[in-house]
């Protein structure tokens, strides 16, 4: 795709249906959840999912009924430090309330510690996988905390071995969110998984140009037809406003793909 002229409108149109519109703020309440769900359904298409605290699942399910927008929630969030049985309970409650997707923070500190930590993390995630059943399980590696490429690669391999449906970069609760370097490692793990495994870029993605960089990586590593809502997501909040701004403009701004 290098050198191919595309527009920001083209990019925004591609990104919008891949968005997990997210709100995981301490001040979230019923009113903010209503606003989030209303924003998920736009005149130019709907987002893939909303991602919110477990307590707001029933409200979101009702608000988004019939829209095709999935309801995702988080467990073992944000530190990844709860014991597996507690996380399994969180998953069971979320599914009982109607969650369509579960974003689980892996016990990444175990991977960082070494000395059998990979196996402990894999066993933990395998229990989560069993609790999720057929429901999509996105595993948050917290790549900004792992930081080192070798640790990110190991964490990705652990998550894939435990049955992850998606590898997700970040919680958004540590200083370093998604980076192209971490994305490249994780997308390579998706490609080499031997089964369908998707990728979710989350943490600090706020504009269309940045989103385009991650799509270009996915096209390069996994193939130009690979990224779809079933395999690729952006976890963000402000990105939607940027997308709608581009899609609501008059003359399109031209950029070069793959920059």
């Amino acid at each position: 795709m290098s050198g191919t002229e595309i527009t920001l409108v083209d990019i925004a149109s591609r990104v919008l249906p891949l968005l997990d519109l997210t709100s995981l703020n301490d001040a979230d309440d019923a009113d903010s959840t209503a606003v989030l769900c209303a924003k998920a359904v736009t005149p130019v298409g709907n987002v893939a999912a909303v991602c919110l605290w477990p307590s707001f699942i029933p409200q979101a399910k009702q608000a988004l009924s019939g829209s095709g927008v999935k309801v995702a929630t988080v467990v073992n969030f944000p530190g990844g430090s709860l014991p597996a049985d507690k996380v399994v309970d969180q998953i069971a409650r979320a599914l009982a309330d109607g969650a369509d997707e579960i974003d689980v923070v892996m016990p990444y500190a175990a991977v960082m510690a070494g000395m059998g930590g990979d196996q402990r993390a894999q066993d933990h995630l395998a229990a989560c996988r069993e609790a999720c059943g057929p429901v999509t399980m996105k595993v948050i590696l917290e790549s900004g905390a792992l930081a080192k490429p070798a640790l990110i690669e190991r964490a990705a391999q652990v998550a894939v071995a435990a049955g992850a449906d998606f590898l997700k970069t970040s919680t958004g609760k540590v200083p370093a969110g998604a980076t192209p370097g971490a994305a490249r490692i994780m997308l390579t793990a998706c490609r080499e998984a031997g089964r369908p495994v998707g990728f979710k870029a989350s943490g600090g993605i706020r504009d269309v140009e940045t989103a385009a960089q991650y799509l270009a990586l996915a096209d390069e590593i996994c193939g130009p037809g690979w990224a779809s809502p079933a395999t690729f997501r952006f976890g963000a909040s402000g990105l939607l406003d940027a997308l709608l701004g581009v899609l609501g403009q008059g003359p399109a701004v031209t950029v070069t793909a793959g920059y």
Side-chain angles (χ1 to χ4, degrees):
M1 287 179 58
S2 179
T4 301
E5 292 299 311
I6 62 172
T7 68
L8 284 179
V9 170
D10 295 330
I11 297 167
S13 297
R14 189 179 175 197
V15 171
L16 181 63
L18 306 178
L19 183 61
D20 282 4
L21 184 61
T22 302
S23 187
L24 295 166
N25 301 312
D26 292 341
D28 285 346
D29 57 18
D31 290 341
S32 64
T33 299
V35 170
L36 185 78
C37 293
K39 289 180 67 174
V41 179
T42 89
V44 289
N46 298 348
V47 304
V50 295
C51 184
L52 33 64
W53 294 114
S55 58
F56 300 116
I57 295 169
Q59 180 185 351
K61 289 292 289 187
Q62 182 174 5
L64 293 167
S65 177
S67 69
V69 178
K70 297 181 183 297
V71 175
T73 195
V74 292
V75 298
N76 205 15
F77 190 92
S81 58
L82 293 176
D85 61 334
K86 299 289 187 183
V87 184
V88 166
D89 286 345
Q90 290 181 334
I91 292 169
R93 290 196 298 272
L95 296 181
D97 282 341
D100 300 302
E101 300 179 344
I102 300 292
D103 289 27
V104 55
V105 183
M106 77 180 304
Y108 58 89
V111 177
M112 296 170 70
M115 299 180 64
D118 289 9
Q119 188 61 54
R120 292 195 301 275
Q122 184 173 324
D123 291 345
H124 186 289
L125 290 175
C128 295
R129 170 76 276 171
E130 183 176 358
C132 285
V135 170
T136 296
M137 184 176 82
K138 309 189 198 98
V139 175
I140 305 170
L141 306 190
E142 201 65 287
S143 57
L146 293 169
K148 296 178 181 178
L151 286 177
I152 297 169
E153 183 176 6
R154 276 172 42 201
Q157 292 170 349
V158 166
V160 169
D165 295 307
F166 275 75
L167 303 178
K168 176 178 172 181
T169 55
S170 316
T171 61
K173 301 297 185 181
V174 300
T179 65
R184 180 174 290 278
I185 294 168
M186 294 165 68
L187 283 163
T188 300
C190 294
R191 184 189 66 196
E192 297 177 353
R195 61 179 178 84
V197 177
F199 171 73
K200 180 172 173 178
S202 182
I205 301 168
R206 299 182 178 91
D207 57 67
V208 181
E209 293 86 353
T210 302
Q213 294 178 27
Y214 288 95
L215 279 178
L217 278 173
D219 291 346
E220 172 196 341
I221 295 167
C222 296
W226 181 77
S228 74
T231 56
F232 192 103
R233 302 284 181 86
F234 290 100
S237 54
L239 180 59
L240 179 60
D241 292 334
L243 297 172
L244 294 177
V246 169
L247 293 172
Q249 290 176 356
V253 180
T254 300
V255 297
T256 301
Y259 54 81

